[in-house]
């Protein structure tokens, strides 16, 4: 029913349109601490030569030079050079659209603004640029991105979800913590562990497991974070966590981008994604059918853009647990892999992982991982991206491109030996 089409073609298949990427995550995270980075540079390797990439900060010239040497990316880069976390990229554009408009005028094409997450300011930025927005209204985005509301939507569609309770944090009420304890203890009477997760899913904030002995401490942490609503659920025995990605075009057409496996630390925190071996037909068919029902509902409501639905496969069944109604981290990976496949050959397996090394420049990183580094020829190689925090903290991401899983395991082992 739904055929695969590359995400780039779903965004636009019209050569008379100018794609403007704004991969800033700040619009999703009104509360920003050290764990929230803008990650604008993720769009650099996905851009075609005639696209525009807008950055909050400065362009890493060495990384850009490396990308261009392999036929990836564009030279149409807008740098706002803003170190502050107070303003999102869309707000910067609204305040000063001229740097982007220069490229629009030069191209003579109709602009299409492609943000990470669609909120009110993304609509404003598109208006200021006289561009189409590849995204949704803030109302549609929040309806599906909110975990509690998403569970309600699933129930309305007769889709089974993990049992659980939505809980409103009210620290001013002395009984509020006791109320939370009572709900958690109720679930602990039938299961070993309970998971508590914030409804907005902000960079893994408000994500906790408890066996009941630390509820007061957890309650205090959530209260301090300012989170207003959380979901309390039994923590199930999970064998895999598939992510099923779909995309709804500006015209409302629905396309499947395929399924991939999430890699989760402690069974909760997403640290990477694997694309390779298929799930059993039973699992794949159930997820595809369930996702189609959800995405059709979203399209009818007016949602446009990328959809990443997270599932868990557990002893108790297969359940959708989260709807990432925005670009997902692995959406960019898919687009990078698509670009590389056009240049070299099909890539049967890839693994995206968030990774860390000693803080260094991109040039130093290429020397550190030299023999593994993507060179446009090797079938098995490491492609670094999301490198904007590399010089500050050593945090970045890689895509392991491979012929099979054994090669992925080998490259992971080699990276560890290189201190990564």
């Amino acid at each position: 029913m739904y055929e695969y089409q590359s995400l780039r073609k779903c965004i636009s298949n019209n050569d008379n349109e100018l794609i403007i990427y704004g991969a800033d995550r700040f619009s999703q995270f009104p509360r920003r601490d050290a764990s929230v980075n803008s990650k604008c540079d993720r769009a650099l390797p996905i851009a075609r030569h005639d696209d525009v990439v807008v950055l909050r900060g400065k362009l890493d010239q060495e990384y850009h030079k490396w990308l261009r040497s392999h036929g990836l990316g564009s030279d149409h880069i807008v740098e706002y050079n803003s170190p502050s976390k107070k303003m999102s990229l869309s707000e910067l554009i609204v305040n000063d659209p001229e740097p982007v408009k220069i490229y629009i005028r030069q191209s003579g094409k109709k602009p299409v603004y492609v943000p990470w997450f669609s909120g009110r300011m993304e609509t404003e930025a598109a208006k200021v640029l006289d561009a189409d927005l590849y995204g949704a209204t803030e109302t549609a985005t929040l309806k599906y991105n909110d975990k509690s509301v998403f569970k309600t939507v699933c129930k309305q569609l007769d889709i089974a979800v993990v049992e659980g309770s939505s809980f409103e944090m009210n620290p001013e009420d002395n009984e509020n913590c006791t109320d939370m304890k009572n709900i958690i203890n109720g679930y602990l009477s039938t299961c070993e562990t309970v998971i508590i997760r914030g409804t907005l899913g902000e960079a893994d904030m408000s994500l906790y497991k408890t066996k009941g002995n630390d509820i007061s401490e957890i309650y205090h942490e959530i209260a301090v974070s300012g989170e207003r609503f959380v979901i309390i659920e039994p923590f199930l025995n999970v064998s895999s966590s598939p992510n099923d990605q779909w995309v709804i075009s500006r015209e409302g057409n629905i396309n499947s981008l395929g399924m991939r496996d999430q890699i989760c630390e402690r069974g909760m925190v997403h640290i990477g994604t694997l694309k390779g071996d298929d799930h059993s037909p039973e699992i794949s068919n159930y997820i595809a059918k369930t996702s189609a029902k959800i995405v059709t509902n979203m399209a009818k409501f007016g949602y446009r853009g990328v959809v990443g639905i997270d599932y868990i496969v557990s002893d108790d069944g297969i359940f959708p647990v989260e709807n990432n109604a925005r670009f997902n981290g692995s959406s960019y990976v898919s687009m990078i892999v698509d670009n590389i496949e056009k240049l070299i050959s099909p890539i049967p397996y890839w693994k995206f992982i968030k990774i860390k090394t000693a803080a260094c420049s991109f040039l130093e990183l290429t020397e550190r991982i030299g023999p593994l580094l993507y060179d446009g020829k090797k079938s098995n190689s490491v492609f670094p991206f999301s490198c904007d925090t590399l010089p500050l903290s050593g945090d970045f991401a890689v895509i392991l491109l491979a012929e099979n899983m054994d090669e992925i395991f080998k490259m992971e082992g080699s990276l560890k030996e290189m201190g990564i």
Side-chain angles (χ1 to χ4, degrees), residues 38-313:
S38 65
K39 296 188 181 289
C40 290
D41 74 326
R42 285 189 292 187
L44 290 170
I46 70 171
R48 292 194 328 196
H49 69 94
D50 52 351
D51 296 334
V52 175
V53 176
V54 189
L55 305 176
R56 296 188 75 263
K58 290 187 70 173
L59 176 67
D60 184 329
Q61 297 289 346
E62 290 297 339
Y63 181 60
H64 186 238
K65 185 178 170 185
W66 178 77
L67 287 175
R68 299 301 286 129
S69 73
H70 294 300
L72 297 165
S74 166
D75 290 324
H76 306 324
I77 313 293
V78 175
E79 302 169 75
Y80 275 98
N81 198 13
S82 172
S84 169
K85 289 192 173 187
K86 289 181 180 176
M87 295 175 74
S88 69
L89 181 62
S90 292
E91 288 172 300
L92 291 171
I93 292 172
V94 169
N95 280 2
D96 180 17
E98 188 56 24
V100 184
K101 284 187 169 182
I102 289 170
Y103 283 112
I104 295 172
R105 287 195 294 270
Q106 286 174 353
S107 74
K109 297 179 179 181
K110 174 66 179 173
V112 180
Y113 184 47
V114 185
W116 155 263
F117 178 92
S118 292
R120 183 179 62 83
M121 290 308 298
E122 282 58 51
T123 301
E124 290 299 314
K127 273 185 193 170
V128 164
L129 297 174
D130 194 24
D132 279 358
L133 174 68
Y134 182 65
T137 63
E138 186 174 68
T139 303
T141 300
L142 295 178
K143 173 176 179 176
Y144 295 99
N145 208 61
D146 183 291
K147 295 181 182 65
S148 182
V149 178
F150 175 57
K151 282 186 81 168
T152 302
V153 170
C154 288
K155 288 174 186 175
Q156 290 166 350
L157 296 172
D158 292 323
I159 296 168
V161 294
V162 178
E163 67 168 310
S165 303
S166 180
F167 182 79
E168 183 174 2
M169 295 290 296
N170 187 9
E172 299 81 24
D173 180 356
N174 293 332
E175 298 300 314
N176 196 233
C177 181
T178 303
D179 293 340
M180 177 185 272
K181 283 181 183 177
N182 290 338
I183 293 171
I184 292 171
N185 288 328
Y187 289 120
L188 288 172
S189 64
T190 56
C191 69
E192 273 188 29
T193 310
V194 163
I195 185 170
I196 303 158
R197 52 197 184 112
T199 57
L200 297 179
E202 297 195 354
D204 303 320
M205 297 173 191
S206 300
L207 188 58
Y208 305 93
K209 283 195 293 189
T210 181
K211 294 181 182 292
N213 56 346
D214 55 356
I215 301 173
S216 296
E217 291 88 338
I218 290 172
Y219 180 89
H220 177 70
E221 279 191 47
I222 298 171
V224 168
S225 77
E227 189 85 62
R228 288 309 307 271
F229 292 94
V230 295
I231 299 175
I232 301 169
E233 299 165 325
F235 189 72
L236 305 182
N237 185 22
V238 173
S239 55
S240 65
S241 304
N243 169 267
D244 195 22
Q245 285 200 23
W246 296 65
V247 59
I248 304 171
S249 72
R250 282 175 283 154
E251 297 75 30
N253 299 322
I254 298 171
N255 293 274
S256 170
L257 296 179
M259 206 177 300
R260 58 287 311 261
D261 270 319
Q262 295 190 100
I263 305 155
C264 296
E265 200 171 51
R266 293 176 287 121
M268 298 193 301
V269 181
H270 175 254
I271 58 166
T273 306
L274 175 68
K275 182 79 167 65
D277 292 330
D278 293 331
H279 289 274
S280 71
E282 181 187 3
I283 293 171
S284 297
N285 292 341
Y286 178 79
I287 289 177
K289 184 178 170 186
T290 302
S291 294
K293 196 184 285 190
I294 293 166
V295 179
T296 300
N297 176 271
M298 295 175 75
K300 284 179 182 173
F301 189 76
Y303 181 87
R304 300 292 182 265
V306 181
V307 182
I309 303 170
D310 294 343
Y311 288 82
I312 55 171
V313 178

Side-chain angles (χ1 to χ4, degrees), residues 25-36:
R25 296 196 307 160
F26 282 6
S27 52
Q28 189 187 355
F29 306 130
R31 296 192 314 277
R32 297 168 199 150
D33 64 9
S35 69
V36 182

